[in-house]
Amino acid sequence: MAAPSAEQQNGQSDESDLQSPISTNDEDSETGAGDGALPDYVVDLIEKEIGGDLKSLKKVSSLLEKLTAENKLLEEQVLTVSSSVPLRVAAALSAAEESRVSLEGLLQRERVLSNTLIQHLQGAQPWADSLGRTLEQLDNTEKHMKYLQCVSRIEELSDSIQQCLMTNSIWEAVVAVGSMASLDVGLKQSGCSHLQAFLRDTLRFWHKIIKDRLAGDFEELLIQLHWPFISPPTQSLSPPANAQELHSQLELLVAQLLSLQTSDDLISEKPTSVSRVGLPPTTPLSLPVQIMLLPLSKRFRYHFTGNRQTNSLNKPEWFLTQVLMWMANSSNFMEEKIQPILDRNGANVNAKVELCRGLLTLAQEKLASDAPRLLYDDALFCHLVDEILQFERELRTTHSYPSTLPGALHVLLDEVVLQKWLTVERKMAIEKVDAMLSAEGAWSSQYKDISDMDELKAPDCAETFMTLLLVITDRYRALPCPRAQLRFLALQRELVDDFRIRLTQVMKEESRNPLGARYCAILNAANYISTVLGDWGDNVFFLQLQQSAVALGEEELLGPLGVTESGRLASLEGSLFEGLLGLLERLRGDMLGRLLEAVMRDVQKKAQPYCRDRWLSLPSQCDQATMSLSSLACPLMQCLRDHLLQLQQMLCLPLFQMGWQDLAERLDLFLYQNVILYNHFNEGGAAQLQFDMTRNLFPLFGHYCKRPENFFKHVKEACVILCLNVGSALLLRDVLRQAEEDEEEPGTPEGQQPSPVSALNELGVYRLAPCDVLILLNLRASWPGK
């Protein structure tokens, strides 16, 4: 091989020199040193500048010079930056020092100014104290001036009222009294007790004078208008000659009295009147109505207080009826005469309601005083409660008294009175239950001869008991307190549970004869009470009570509930009667089960000969002219028919529906186990069995449903299997046996034989399992070769 030329050697030498300054990257240098390869960017540079042409190697020297110059320039820049950094740091330190010196100077000036300010404040403090005392004196002087101004204003208004009264200017006097009342309201938060007392005394003095004068004029005018109306007013043929003048005076006096309302409320110191009988606060009566009530109140107290014969504890209806009569007699006058005047004067008052409210207060006070005196006489107390309920009903309906205002029932919400009411209700209810259960016709239905009304066949005792509960509900329904209503509901639940226990006790006495009329009547009673309570659970009134019970957390009524149970009751998914319904349902289920067991015992006794019939030796169907019921089945069918008729007559329709269906299912299993599985059948026996079942047994239940065979699935499907022709029976037996062998040998391929379930479904067999069908096929005696 020829030696390289000198130019090539120089080129290689230049390339090796070029590699050194360019490989500045440490990673690239290590890579090049490790594997002897040039970095990629060096290779790219050489490829770009020189390429693969050897003649281009002359460019290497110029490229080296260029790169050397760039390298030198970069070194100079680095040196320049390195030399400038100390200068900048020094400048920053110098600036910081200057700032520190400036800050110290400012702090020194602040200390000087602070000392100067303290000295100035110390010197000015006497002036400030003197100025404060002067301002306080000015403030006190201003208060004294305002105080004197108020006194002067009071005296001015007092003089004005006196002058108006002397000149008979009643309207101006009323306006002045109104201004004085406004001033009294404005001074409530002032704290000037003496000034307030002086103003209140002055206001009371002039208000009494003006009110007495207006009240006297108003009473005289009312007498001319024949007020009060003690009896129903009669329509006069012609109005009096001075009717227009009387009407003008009435309007003027009512307007003036309405203007005194504010001062009247202030003087009585009752912005809201709290009744002495425990009623919620209400607004005071308007002044005209108060005056109109005076003669009625006087008559009421005359007749119904003291030793008067009309004041009788055992006759609360006397004063309650009298109050209602006064309301009715005065209704037209208040609506036609007084109400328009109130409306024209901007009084937001219903005249008729105001009068009813005033009269009702008289009745409430009387009831509140009489009720505690009757707590030890149950008969009189019950009579009082009845009259209060009747009065409340009449008040709300006939006289349209607003439901937002308290009525007479609030008197019964007193704890002592309410507890007595509950005690009496419980006592009376228990006495009535004892009487109704011991009555001669307690367990017979009063509608037994009326088929349309006797669907539930409820005995008289159960119907009377639920009527008693309904009456209790009607009595406490109108109570304005949900908590009191819930206490009555708890009493009703207690009474229902007590009646259920009594039913259970009577049922145990009658359990020896579950097919008797009394036992069935007890069952009907339990079903009737359960049905009524279920309807009550969906009633709006009881749903509202349920919401109130959840909101108030009545543990006595709800018991210790978890979050889920409380949520169900709050969302109205549950019912307050759920616990009672569960107990009644269990009682009903137990009694119905015992009843059906008694029926089945009788049926099984009658069916014993039929179970031992000669099914293996009966003649075939072709050997008989006509098929007829087996003679041994006649007692069974007759017994079953009699019991079904008896149950239909004694049980209500829902119970009878459940009863005959349960009886059919029990009879189905009995016949399947004791007749079919117990015997072997030839062709004639299978045909006879099918005829007895399909043409005689099933039609007994056909009176109560369209497809009675659906309740005898075991018997029906067994008859289908037993009555198959020989070829179909053989084929079915082979399919079932093959399926059993396939189950025993898991490796057998599937799909070669039809599944046993599909084969049975084609024959109409859905209830019986393949193994049961094989047993039935083995009970057939008519096989080839036998």
Side-chain angles (χ1 to χ4, degrees):
M1 181 176 179
S5 61
E7 186 176 357
Q8 292 174 340
Q9 291 178 355
N10 292 336
Q12 294 174 356
S13 176
D14 292 339
E15 288 180 9
S16 63
D17 293 338
L18 182 62
Q19 180 180 1
S20 174
I22 292 178
S23 299
T24 58
N25 187 282
D26 295 338
E27 183 180 351
D28 294 336
S29 301
E30 292 175 0
T31 304
D35 53 12
L38 291 173
D40 292 339
Y41 65 87
V42 176
V43 175
D44 293 339
L45 179 63
I46 296 174
E47 182 68 26
K48 178 180 178 183
E49 297 292 337
I50 300 177
D53 189 4
L54 295 177
K55 295 181 179 181
S56 300
L57 292 177
K58 59 184 179 180
K59 300 179 180 180
V60 171
S61 58
S62 60
L63 180 61
L64 180 59
E65 293 176 359
K66 177 182 176 182
L67 293 176
T68 303
E70 291 179 357
N71 191 21
K72 184 177 180 181
L73 179 61
L74 291 173
E75 290 177 354
E76 291 176 356
Q77 291 178 353
V78 170
L79 291 175
T80 302
V81 171
S82 300
S83 60
S84 64
V85 167
L87 295 176
R88 293 180 181 178
V89 172
L93 292 175
S94 176
E97 182 64 22
E98 292 177 359
S99 299
R100 185 186 65 79
V101 174
S102 176
L103 178 61
E104 289 181 354
L106 290 174
L107 291 174
Q108 181 63 29
R109 292 178 60 189
E110 186 272 337
R111 285 192 291 270
V112 173
L113 289 175
S114 177
N115 294 332
T116 304
L117 180 61
I118 292 173
Q119 294 175 1
H120 178 73
L121 290 176
Q122 291 175 351
Q125 186 62 39
W127 295 92
D129 296 340
S130 176
L131 182 61
R133 288 190 294 270
T134 304
L135 292 176
E136 185 178 358
Q137 292 175 359
L138 289 175
D139 188 32
N140 290 333
T141 303
E142 183 180 8
K143 290 180 180 180
H144 293 159
M145 289 181 63
K146 289 183 177 181
Y147 193 94
L148 293 176
Q149 287 175 359
C150 288
V151 174
S152 175
R153 176 61 176 166
I154 295 171
E155 293 178 348
E156 179 184 348
L157 290 173
S158 180
D159 294 340
S160 175
I161 295 171
Q162 182 179 8
Q163 187 68 28
C164 291
L165 292 177
M166 293 174 62
T167 59
N168 205 26
S169 301
I170 301 299
W171 254 124
E172 288 78 0
V174 170
V175 172
V177 169
S179 300
M180 192 177 293
S182 300
L183 183 60
D184 190 311
V185 174
L187 288 177
K188 279 188 175 181
Q189 305 298 328
S190 66
C192 301
S193 58
H194 297 290
L195 181 61
Q196 288 179 353
F198 171 69
L199 175 58
R200 183 64 57 84
D201 292 340
T202 306
L203 179 62
R204 183 180 292 108
F205 174 78
W206 290 119
H207 174 83
K208 184 178 183 304
I209 293 176
I210 297 176
K211 180 181 176 181
D212 290 344
R213 178 178 295 188
L214 292 177
D217 295 342
F218 191 49
E219 289 174 355
E220 293 179 1
L221 178 62
L222 289 175
I223 292 174
Q224 298 182 50
L225 295 173
H226 307 292
W227 179 268
F229 300 106
I230 305 304
S231 59
T234 58
Q235 186 69 28
S236 59
L237 297 178
S238 60
N242 60 343
Q244 185 65 32
E245 180 183 355
L246 293 177
H247 184 269
S248 300
Q249 294 179 9
L250 178 66
E251 182 159 2
L252 177 63
L253 288 172
V254 170
Q256 291 173 345
L257 288 172
L258 287 175
S259 299
L260 288 177
Q261 188 70 48
T262 303
S263 58
D264 189 73
D265 294 342
L266 287 173
I267 291 172
S268 61
E269 295 184 349
K270 291 190 290 186
T272 57
S273 60
V274 181
S275 175
R276 290 176 295 173
V277 295
L279 300 177
T282 57
T283 57
L285 291 172
S286 61
L287 194 54
V289 176
Q290 292 182 29
I291 299 173
M292 296 177 71
L293 282 170
L294 291 177
L296 295 175
S297 175
K298 187 180 298 183
R299 287 177 176 271
F300 185 88
R301 290 185 170 85
Y302 176 82
H303 289 290
F304 305 114
T305 58
N307 298 323
R308 298 286 176 181
Q309 292 183 353
T310 50
N311 182 28
S312 176
L313 282 176
N314 58 351
K315 295 293 183 180
E317 63 270 21
W318 285 354
F319 70 86
L320 293 175
T321 303
Q322 185 64 71
V323 168
L324 292 175
M325 289 177 59
W326 286 344
M327 290 180 182
N329 297 338
S330 307
S331 176
N332 290 336
F333 181 81
M334 300 301 292
E335 290 179 344
E336 296 173 3
K337 301 296 184 181
I338 305 300
Q339 187 63 49
I341 301 175
L342 297 178
D343 295 339
R344 284 192 290 271
N345 285 273
N348 188 22
V349 174
N350 187 309
K352 177 183 174 181
V353 173
E354 284 289 282
L355 182 68
C356 292
R357 195 154 64 94
L359 292 173
L360 183 60
T361 303
L362 299 176
Q364 290 169 343
E365 293 176 353
K366 175 65 174 172
L367 290 172
S369 64
D370 287 354
R373 300 164 63 186
L374 300 176
L375 294 178
Y376 303 101
D377 191 323
D378 293 347
L380 292 181
F381 183 83
C382 289
H383 180 60
L384 176 67
V385 172
D386 291 337
E387 291 300 328
I388 292 176
L389 294 174
Q390 181 64 29
F391 175 81
E392 182 77 13
R393 193 177 300 111
E394 187 79 12
L395 180 68
R396 303 292 182 181
T397 56
T398 305
H399 299 282
S400 302
Y401 194 68
S403 59
T404 55
L405 296 177
L409 289 180
H410 283 77
V411 177
L412 299 177
L413 295 181
D414 181 77
E415 179 60 30
V416 177
V417 177
L418 182 62
Q419 185 59 46
K420 177 63 177 181
W421 186 8
L422 288 166
T423 304
V424 171
E425 287 284 2
R426 181 185 293 105
K427 176 183 176 182
M428 296 296 182
I430 293 176
E431 290 178 356
K432 291 179 181 179
V433 170
D434 292 337
M436 70 177 69
L437 289 178
S438 59
E440 183 178 354
W443 301 106
S444 61
S445 174
Q446 56 181 327
Y447 306 111
K448 59 183 177 181
D449 298 329
I450 308 175
S451 58
D452 295 340
M453 299 181 62
D454 201 30
E455 181 178 344
L456 292 177
K457 290 184 172 61
D460 188 60
C461 62
E463 193 164 1
T464 306
F465 174 72
M466 295 311 295
T467 303
L468 172 64
L469 293 184
L470 187 60
V471 170
I472 294 177
T473 302
D474 292 337
R475 289 159 68 85
Y476 77 80
R477 181 191 294 268
L479 286 177
C481 177
R483 194 178 294 275
Q485 291 178 331
L486 290 173
R487 294 175 68 176
F488 278 94
L489 179 60
L491 171 61
Q492 288 179 306
R493 286 162 47 102
E494 178 185 341
L495 293 175
V496 171
D497 193 50
D498 178 73
F499 193 79
R500 178 192 63 83
I501 295 174
R502 292 170 182 261
L503 290 180
T504 305
Q505 293 172 348
V506 180
M507 180 269 294
K508 291 180 179 179
E509 296 174 1
E510 299 294 328
S511 59
R512 297 179 181 178
N513 184 22
L515 297 176
R518 176 170 289 194
Y519 187 91
C520 293
I522 298 171
L523 183 54
N524 288 331
N527 180 76
Y528 175 74
I529 296 174
S530 178
T531 303
V532 174
L533 290 182
D535 294 338
W536 285 7
D538 297 329
N539 184 275
V540 175
F541 173 69
F542 289 103
L543 290 176
Q544 293 173 345
L545 283 185
Q546 180 173 325
Q547 291 281 26
S548 301
V550 175
L552 297 174
E554 288 286 341
E555 292 190 1
E556 178 182 354
L557 195 65
L558 302 176
L561 296 180
V563 178
T564 305
E565 291 79 0
S566 298
R568 287 182 64 252
L569 289 177
S571 61
L572 303 182
E573 294 180 8
S575 167
L576 292 175
F577 303 103
E578 274 188 346
L580 293 173
L581 289 174
L583 295 173
L584 289 169
E585 180 67 27
R586 187 170 67 180
L587 174 62
R588 184 177 62 181
D590 293 343
M591 293 187 67
L592 187 59
R594 293 185 183 185
L595 178 62
L596 296 179
E597 287 175 1
V599 173
M600 281 302 299
R601 283 196 299 268
D602 200 5
V603 170
Q604 291 172 6
K605 182 178 178 181
K606 300 293 183 182
Q608 290 305 316
Y610 187 69
C611 296
R612 305 296 184 267
D613 203 355
R614 297 176 291 106
W615 301 104
L616 195 58
S617 58
L618 291 178
S620 63
Q621 187 175 0
C622 59
D623 295 338
Q624 302 182 45
T626 57
M627 294 289 292
S628 62
L629 178 64
S630 175
S631 60
L632 296 180
C634 291
L636 167 64
M637 300 300 173
Q638 183 178 2
C639 176
L640 190 58
R641 182 201 63 185
D642 294 342
H643 280 303
L644 286 174
L645 291 175
Q646 182 185 11
L647 294 179
Q648 187 177 16
Q649 292 175 357
M650 293 192 303
L651 295 180
C652 63
L653 183 59
L655 285 177
F656 179 68
Q657 290 286 352
M658 291 188 294
W660 75 256
Q661 292 176 13
D662 194 356
L663 179 62
E665 293 177 358
R666 295 183 184 213
L667 187 59
D668 177 47
L669 289 175
F670 170 75
L671 293 175
Y672 177 71
Q673 295 174 355
N674 294 273
V675 176
I676 297 175
L677 296 181
Y678 191 78
N679 296 283
H680 286 74
F681 298 84
N682 63 358
E683 183 179 352
Q688 183 65 50
L689 176 66
Q690 186 177 35
F691 181 83
D692 293 344
M693 297 296 105
T694 58
R695 301 295 296 276
N696 294 278
L697 177 62
F698 297 170
L700 285 178
F701 293 87
H703 298 288
Y704 317 119
C705 65
K706 295 181 179 180
R707 303 290 299 273
E709 63 273 11
N710 290 336
F711 295 93
F712 295 89
K713 293 184 178 180
H714 290 88
V715 172
K716 182 187 72 171
E717 294 179 2
C719 290
V720 171
I721 299 300
L722 293 176
C723 293
L724 283 176
N725 58 57
V726 177
S728 299
L730 286 172
L731 181 59
L732 179 61
R733 185 175 64 175
D734 292 341
V735 171
L736 297 178
R737 286 180 176 177
Q738 183 63 39
E740 282 188 348
E741 294 176 359
D742 293 343
E743 291 180 0
E744 295 175 359
E745 299 177 6
T748 304
E750 298 180 357
Q752 297 179 359
Q753 295 288 340
S755 67
V757 176
S758 61
L760 293 176
N761 291 345
E762 290 178 2
L763 297 175
V765 177
Y766 299 94
R767 173 61 65 86
L768 297 178
C771 58
D772 298 329
V773 174
L774 270 177
I775 295 174
L776 292 174
L777 290 174
N778 292 330
L779 297 177
R780 290 169 59 104
S782 56
W783 291 107
K786 288 188 179 181

